[in-house]
């Protein structure tokens, strides 16, 4: 006899899935945490006012037998009053802003489901359902009453639960087919590359038992498939319910999609969805999302089920697939992707969909930890992304602009913004550059602004200032949410400029605690990168804990295939850059001149790059030169990289900045890239934020300069150099230029497998690099 699976669904989720109709915009779209707390207190106040014998928060559970599964429907009714004829059940709802005085059909449905379960349990012939609404602005209470027979309630319950059970049954049949296809699944290539099996085994152990693995594995061995393969095996064994593949870059998402496609070619059935940011996939104009005005949001719930059914016919739910289905059914593509995610096995998405409080997928993470596996690609990027996700800021210029647009139409809201501007200016003036204390008066005025803004926004009225108000509303939400978590890991930074006026930022200095909380939302996590050294530093700042598994896979590539030269007689620190331009240009030209081919040259800044570039161009003569510019479009980036895939009769030299889009995540195998030059030690720009990070870790008896500058810098260097060797047959050369590489604090951080050769001057660079290429040519000929 087979074991029946138990599927649990809350009554509210059941009702919303089956019964919801109409627009995406709803009554709860503009409810701040302050108003939510106010609503909870009003809810409790109504319960206390009920007569003796009134039972609060009564738990209800009912199990429906499905085809091979049991559907457990559970929830809590706000109140039950026995001893009356008929017995009545009460659902209490709070309303913020304007209300048309009519009850919500979803609320009636929720009450009827509770009443059906209660009537069946208590064997009652009929039950009265009461919907009680509390208007937060006026404290006015309205109650609607309706009596239902047990037979009618049962018919309603069977129809709603039956439709949901059909969806669950289809999903479970899919899971069975998926698991069956995975039982005999073999690694999708003829053999493992060296290092791949070691990473795959370590990943499987962590994913199967739960916990975290921090893994550094060389660029080019195939890390993506090495973690995805054991993840889908563990998924098929029931170790968890869903895989989240998290990445910060488009290249990472493409690598995940490619690995999943390879698994399908090996026989696996796997439904994978790529989640694209709302602003990128939106069909509307580039402005704040307003569901009350968007034609793809109006009537969304009337059309979405058919769209989801069509989408789920595809195993590969890429951006293009989602957009095509969304256009056919005229629904919001971002919301469609979220609804499809409920039925996906793998979700490929950005870091922020798991970690960012303002962007995380609440349908998965709001109710506490889930049976999920997190695969965190290029995990070294999560440190600074974490600081960004957990920080927030507002500036007086934005407040003033919105205030002026509201003064005649919404004066009450404009008044709260005026007080907020004044509070911001006073705080910034008193605090100086930074403060360890929150701007309490500013926060209080922002809370008042949200209340007034909610009242107007909830009316869903068009106005020329609506988009600007909406944008400020959400940014204020983020600021206040961040303020709620403000602790010793934060600092308030105050800035001023002619364009924006005064600005206050809540800046996260140490994101480790919040990243750890994000990882705790799942059952297991594998955080991996080609550069995760020093490993103890990354475990510390990424939220690791004692007992977490760690792995450093040694490079499997022949050491003699990589030539690493260090020109440590040239100073490239900020003060020395102007004086070093000619020497750097000589070194780059000598290195490239040793053999014709494709090269990348990385600089610490655009200004330094611009100074060296024309001098290198003059020295190299007929070499083709490309250079990175700030704010390059996706098309321009693609064109830049495409040049490396084309054969050239002369050398191709691309100039780029470290830590930018070309410094990591690009895959130029073989002759597409034979060398890289790294100018400098990669230190982040000296700034107030980095100095405050240094001070924080110094105060904790940790190496503050290393945490704030040196470790992130050397990581950039290793990432840039890692573009050269991408396979066991690749041969390439790297030139590092900076006097600091001879200092033990920096030299000790370079990858252990690098066989570094110290060179001085252009002639020695040209000769040493030339000797390497002669040797490489002889080895190929042999």
């Amino acid at each position: 006899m087979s074991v029946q699976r138990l599927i649990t669904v809350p009554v509210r989720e059941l009702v919303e899935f089956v019964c919801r109709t109409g627009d995406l915009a709803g009554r709860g779209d503009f409810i701040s945490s302050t108003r939510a707390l106010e609503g909870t207190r009003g809810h409790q106040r109504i319960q206390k006012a009920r007569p003796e014998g009134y039972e609060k928060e009564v738990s209800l559970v009912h199990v429906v037998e499905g085809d091979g599964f049991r559907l457990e429907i559970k929830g809590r009714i706000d109140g039950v009053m026995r001893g009356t004829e008929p017995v009545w059940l009460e659902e209490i709802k709070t309303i913020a802003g304007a209300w048309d005085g009519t009850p919500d059909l979803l609320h009636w449905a929720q009450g009827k489901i509770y009443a059906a379960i209660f009537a069946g349990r208590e064997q009652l012939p009929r039950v009265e359902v009461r919907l009680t609404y509390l208007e937060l602005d006026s404290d006015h209470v309205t109650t609607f009453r309706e009596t239902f027979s047990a037979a009618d309630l049962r018919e309603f319950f069977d129809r709603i639960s039956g439709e949901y059970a059909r969806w669950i049954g289809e999903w479970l049949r899919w899971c069975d087919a998926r698991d069956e296809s995975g039982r005999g699944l073999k690694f999708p290539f003829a053999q493992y590359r060296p290092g791949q099996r070691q990473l795959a085994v370590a990943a499987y152990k962590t994913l199967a038992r739960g916990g975290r693995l921090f893994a550094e594995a060389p660029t080019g061995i195939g890390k993506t498939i090495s973690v995805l393969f054991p993840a889908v095996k563990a998924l098929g064994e029931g170790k968890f319910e869903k895989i989240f593949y998290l990445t910060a870059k488009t290249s990472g998402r493409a690598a995940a999609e490619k690995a999943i496609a390879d698994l399908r070619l090996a026989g696996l059935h796997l439904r994978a969805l790529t989640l694209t940011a709302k602003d990128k996939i939106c069909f509307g104009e580039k402005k704040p999302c307003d569901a009350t005005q968007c034609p793809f949001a109006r009537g969304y719930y009337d059309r979405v089920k058919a769209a989801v059914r069509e989408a789920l016919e595809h195993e590969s739910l890429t951006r293009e697939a989602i957009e095509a289905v969304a256009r056919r059914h005229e629904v919001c593509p971002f919301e469609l992707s979220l609804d499809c995610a409920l039925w996906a096995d793998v979700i490929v998405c950005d870091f922020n969909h798991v970690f960012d409080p303002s962007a995380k997928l609440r349908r998965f993470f709001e109710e506490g930890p889930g049976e999920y596996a997190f695969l965190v690609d290029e995990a070294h990027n999560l440190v600074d992304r974490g600081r960004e996700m957990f920080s927030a800021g507002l500036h007086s210029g934005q407040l003033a602009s919105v205030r002026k647009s509201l003064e005649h139409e919404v004066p009450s809201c404009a008044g709260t913004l005026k007080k907020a501007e004044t509070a911001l200016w006073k705080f910034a003036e008193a605090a100086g550059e930074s403060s360890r204390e929150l701007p309490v008066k500013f926060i209080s005025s922002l809370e008042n602004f949200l209340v007034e803004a909610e009242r107007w926004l909830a009316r869903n009225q068009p106005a020329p200032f609506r988009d600007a108000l909406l944008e400020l509303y959400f940014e204020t939400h983020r600021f206040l949410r961040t303020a709620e978590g403000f602790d010793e890991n934060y600092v308030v930074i105050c800035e001023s400029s002619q364009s924006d006026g005064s600005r206050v930022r809540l800046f996260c200095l140490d994101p480790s605690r919040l990243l750890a909380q994000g990882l705790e939302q799942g059952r297991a996590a594998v955080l991996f990168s080609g550069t995760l050294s020093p490993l103890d530093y990354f475990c510390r700042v990424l939220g690791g804990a004692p007992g977490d598994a760690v792995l450093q896979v040694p490079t499997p590539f022949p050491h003699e295939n990589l030539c690493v030269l260090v020109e440590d007689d040239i100073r490239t620190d900020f003060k020395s850059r102007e004086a070093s331009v000619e020497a750097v240009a000589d070194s780059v030209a000598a290195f490239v001149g040793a053999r014709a081919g494709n090269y990348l040259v990385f600089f610490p800044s655009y200004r330094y790059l611009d100074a060296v570039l024309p001098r290198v161009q003059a020295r190299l003569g007929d070499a083709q030169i490309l250079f990175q510019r700030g704010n390059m479009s996706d098309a321009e980036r693609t064109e830049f990289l495409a040049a490396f895939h084309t054969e050239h009769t002369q050398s191709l030299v691309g100039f780029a900045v470290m830590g930018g889009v070309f410094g990591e995540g690009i895959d130029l195998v073989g002759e597409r890239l034979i060398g890289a030059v790294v100018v400098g030690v990669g230190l982040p720009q000296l700034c107030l934020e980095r100095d405050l990070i240094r001070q924080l870790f110094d105060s904790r008896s940790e190496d503050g300069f290393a945490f704030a500058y040196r470790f992130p810098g050397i990581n950039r260097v290793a990432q840039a150099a890692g573009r050269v060797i991408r396979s066991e047959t690749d041969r390439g050369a790297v030139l590092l230029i900076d006097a600091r590489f001879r200092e033990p604090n920096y030299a000790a951080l370079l990858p252990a497998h690098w066989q570094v050769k110290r060179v001085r001057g252009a002639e020695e660079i040209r000769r040493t690099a030339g000797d390497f290429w002669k040797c490489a040519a002889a080895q190929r000929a042999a």
Side-chain angles (χ1 to χ4, degrees):
M1 181 178 177
S2 62
V3 177
Q4 283 195 321
R5 286 168 285 196
L6 180 65
I7 306 295
T8 299
V9 59
V11 169
R12 180 174 178 176
E13 183 180 317
L14 168 74
V15 166
E16 288 188 348
F17 180 83
V18 177
C19 302
R20 192 163 190 178
T21 59
D23 304 340
L24 268 174
R27 287 174 176 160
D29 289 351
F30 304 107
I31 301 294
S32 68
S33 56
T34 303
R35 300 284 267 179
L37 178 60
E38 187 182 344
T40 299
R41 289 171 177 167
H43 189 283
Q44 293 168 345
R45 190 168 68 251
I46 289 174
Q47 289 175 320
K48 289 180 181 178
R50 293 300 179 235
E52 186 177 351
Y54 181 88
E55 301 173 45
K56 298 181 294 183
E57 308 296 332
V58 177
S59 295
L60 297 174
V61 178
H62 184 78
V63 175
V64 175
E65 298 294 333
D67 183 10
F69 67 94
R70 303 172 76 230
L71 180 63
E72 183 182 71
I73 301 169
K74 60 192 302 184
R76 282 188 310 193
I77 185 73
D78 293 328
V80 175
M81 189 66 191
R82 301 173 189 267
T84 60
E85 177 51 42
V87 171
W88 55 269
L89 313 182
E90 184 174 39
E91 268 292 287
I92 302 170
K93 304 295 180 183
T94 54
I95 297 291
W99 178 44
D100 62 7
T102 60
D104 192 311
L105 293 179
L106 285 180
H107 297 162
W108 273 125
Q110 193 173 343
K112 289 170 70 176
I113 292 293
Y114 282 130
I117 297 173
F118 190 82
R121 190 179 76 179
E122 303 291 321
Q123 297 185 336
L124 299 173
R126 59 187 174 276
V127 173
E128 180 181 302
V129 176
R130 297 188 180 186
L131 292 185
T132 297
Y133 288 90
L134 168 64
E135 296 177 69
L136 295 177
D137 295 335
S138 64
D139 215 31
H140 181 72
V141 176
T142 303
T143 299
F144 300 90
R145 301 175 174 85
E146 189 166 349
T147 299
F148 301 94
S149 69
D152 288 343
L153 290 172
R154 185 67 196 184
E155 187 277 330
F156 179 79
F157 178 89
D158 288 345
R159 179 166 56 83
I160 301 304
S161 62
E163 181 173 345
Y164 189 82
R166 284 191 291 276
W167 281 81
I168 292 296
E170 291 173 11
W171 175 64
L172 291 175
R173 284 189 289 276
W174 162 260
C175 292
D176 289 340
R178 177 200 69 200
D179 297 347
E180 180 63 30
S181 72
R183 287 191 183 97
L185 183 69
K186 303 295 184 185
F187 193 67
F189 301 103
Q191 59 185 15
Y192 285 94
R193 289 180 181 176
Q196 278 189 310
R197 184 185 290 275
Q198 186 180 359
L199 176 57
V201 169
Y204 177 80
K205 288 180 179 177
T206 296
L207 294 167
R209 69 169 180 256
R212 296 171 220 165
L213 168 67
F214 294 84
E216 182 183 60
T219 297
I221 71 165
K223 294 185 293 295
T224 301
I225 194 65
S226 299
V227 296
L228 267 170
F229 176 66
V232 298
K233 295 292 281 188
L235 175 70
E237 294 167 1
K239 305 298 185 183
F240 41 79
E241 296 177 357
K242 202 175 296 287
I243 299 168
F244 288 86
Y245 189 98
L246 310 176
T247 179
K249 296 180 180 291
T250 302
S251 58
R253 291 191 282 277
E257 290 175 349
K258 169 66 166 58
I260 292 167
D262 289 335
L263 290 169
R264 291 197 187 102
L265 288 174
L268 180 68
H269 291 292
L270 191 74
R271 188 179 286 154
L273 177 136
T274 300
L275 194 57
T276 306
K278 181 187 288 190
D279 60 338
K280 290 187 177 181
I281 202 173
C282 179
F283 291 155
E285 299 176 7
K286 301 301 180 184
K287 59 183 182 179
C289 177
D290 188 348
T292 64
Q293 306 300 315
C294 176
F296 298 97
R298 292 198 295 267
Y300 174 85
Y301 290 107
D302 300 329
R303 303 184 295 272
V304 69
K305 285 194 181 70
V308 170
R309 284 199 177 279
E310 181 182 336
L312 295 185
E313 294 173 2
H314 304 272
E315 290 191 22
S316 180
L317 293 170
T318 61
R319 172 179 177 173
E320 294 75 18
I322 288 291
E323 286 181 333
V325 174
R327 285 197 182 278
R328 278 195 291 276
H329 292 268
E330 297 182 307
V331 295
C332 169
F334 181 72
E335 290 294 332
L336 174 61
S337 64
L338 294 181
D339 285 325
C340 289
L342 293 169
W343 312 101
D345 307 311
V346 180
I347 299 173
V348 180
C349 60
D350 189 89
F351 292 157
N352 65 359
H353 291 305
V354 170
F355 295 102
D356 190 335
S358 298
K360 69 166 57 177
L361 304 176
R362 288 182 176 81
R363 63 190 66 202
F364 295 110
F365 306 124
E366 194 168 42
E367 300 297 327
E371 292 297 307
Y372 310 130
F374 299 138
L375 307 181
V376 186
D377 186 18
E378 301 291 1
H380 63 276
N381 285 315
L382 187 54
V383 183
D384 283 339
R385 278 294 303 276
R387 290 192 175 105
E388 176 188 329
M389 289 186 288
F390 304 137
S391 300
L394 289 169
H395 56 81
S396 60
Q398 183 181 19
L399 301 181
S401 175
V402 174
R403 170 180 56 80
K404 290 173 184 177
S405 69
L406 295 173
E407 283 176 334
H408 297 296
E409 298 291 335
V410 198
S412 60
C413 194
T416 61
L417 286 176
K418 181 63 177 176
K419 291 180 180 178
E421 290 175 65
T422 302
L424 190 157
W425 288 330
K426 288 182 177 179
F427 178 82
E429 187 176 77
E433 283 190 327
S434 65
S435 171
R436 291 286 180 174
E437 301 296 327
L438 279 171
V440 177
K441 291 184 177 179
F442 179 54
I443 287 172
S444 177
S445 62
L446 291 177
E447 290 172 343
N448 292 333
F449 159 68
L450 281 190
V451 171
E452 295 299 328
E454 285 160 10
R455 287 174 177 157
W456 188 87
L457 288 168
R459 297 171 188 161
N460 293 331
Q461 294 178 348
F465 56 78
R466 183 180 175 87
D467 287 346
L469 176 60
L470 198 61
E471 184 174 0
L472 179 59
Y473 176 87
F474 287 125
E475 289 188 21
T476 303
H477 249 302
R478 182 185 183 93
F479 190 93
L480 294 180
R481 185 187 292 111
T482 304
E484 290 173 359
F486 190 91
D487 60 11
E488 69 279 1
N489 296 307
Y490 276 87
V491 66
V492 183
I493 295 178
C494 302
E495 304 161 319
S496 62
S497 69
Q498 289 185 342
S499 58
D500 291 339
S502 297
R503 186 186 186 203
V504 171
R505 278 196 296 149
L506 309 181
F507 181 65
C508 181
L509 300 167
D510 179 5
S512 58
R513 179 181 62 83
L514 295 173
L515 290 174
Q517 289 179 1
L519 294 173
E520 287 166 3
Q521 296 173 128
R523 183 178 184 276
V526 177
L527 298 94
F528 59 101
S529 170
T531 55
L532 215 56
S533 292
L535 200 50
D536 55 353
Y537 157 73
F538 278 105
C539 288
R540 162 71 177 81
V541 294
L542 289 174
D548 286 345
V550 296
L551 174 69
Q552 284 184 296
V553 179
T555 180
F557 307 137
H559 294 175
E560 61 270 19
N561 284 8
L562 176 66
C563 172
V564 181
L565 308 180
V566 175
E567 171 33 295
D568 57 8
D569 202 36
I570 301 175
R571 299 191 62 84
T572 72
D573 56 86
F574 186 76
K575 293 180 180 178
S576 306
R577 287 178 187 173
E578 186 175 349
S580 69
V581 167
E582 295 295 342
V584 169
D586 284 341
S587 298
V588 172
F591 183 72
V592 173
R595 184 201 160 186
N598 294 348
Y599 294 84
L600 283 170
V601 185
F602 295 97
F603 290 85
S605 71
Y606 285 104
R607 185 174 180 180
Y608 202 7
L609 182 157
D610 291 340
V612 175
L613 189 150
R615 291 168 171 83
V616 172
Q617 197 163 22
R619 286 163 171 79
L620 290 179
D622 61 351
Q624 182 180 349
I625 304 291
L626 303 175
F627 58 94
Q628 180 182 354
R629 294 183 294 101
N631 300 317
M632 290 177 77
S633 67
D634 288 343
E636 289 170 328
R637 295 173 187 173
T638 301
E639 184 180 358
F640 183 100
L641 290 175
F644 288 84
H645 293 262
T646 304
E647 290 189 12
H648 304 276
T649 57
Q650 72 276 16
S651 288
L652 171 69
V653 185
F655 284 70
V657 292
M658 267 186 285
V661 292
F662 304 121
E664 59 180 88
I666 61 173
D667 196 15
L668 299 171
V669 179
E671 296 295 305
R672 292 173 180 172
L673 185 69
I674 68 166
V677 181
V678 180
V679 182
V681 292
L683 301 187
Q685 185 177 359
L686 291 168
C687 60
L688 175 62
E689 290 90 336
R690 288 285 164 180
D691 282 342
L692 290 170
I693 294 169
R694 175 180 56 78
Q695 292 170 21
L696 175 70
F697 286 104
D698 278 342
S699 71
R700 296 172 174 175
S701 300
E702 297 177 275
D703 189 339
F705 184 80
F707 275 53
Y709 292 101
R710 190 184 303 120
F711 293 157
I714 291 296
N715 189 273
R716 290 179 177 181
V717 171
Q719 277 288 333
R723 301 309 95 204
V724 175
I725 299 295
R726 309 292 295 180
S727 74
E728 59 272 13
T729 59
D730 276 8
R731 287 176 171 82
V734 172
L735 173 63
L736 309 181
I737 303 176
D738 196 289
R740 285 167 288 190
F741 284 118
R742 64 173 175 249
E743 297 176 16
N745 282 343
Y746 289 93
L749 295 175
L750 296 177
H753 66 274
W754 283 4
Q755 297 178 346
V756 174
K757 295 181 180 180
R758 184 177 174 183
V759 289
R760 295 285 180 85
E763 185 54 43
E764 188 174 359
I765 291 171
R766 183 181 291 107
R767 184 178 65 253
T768 309
D771 290 343
F772 167 76
W773 288 119
K774 288 176 185 177
C775 182
Q779 288 174 347
R780 278 200 179 95

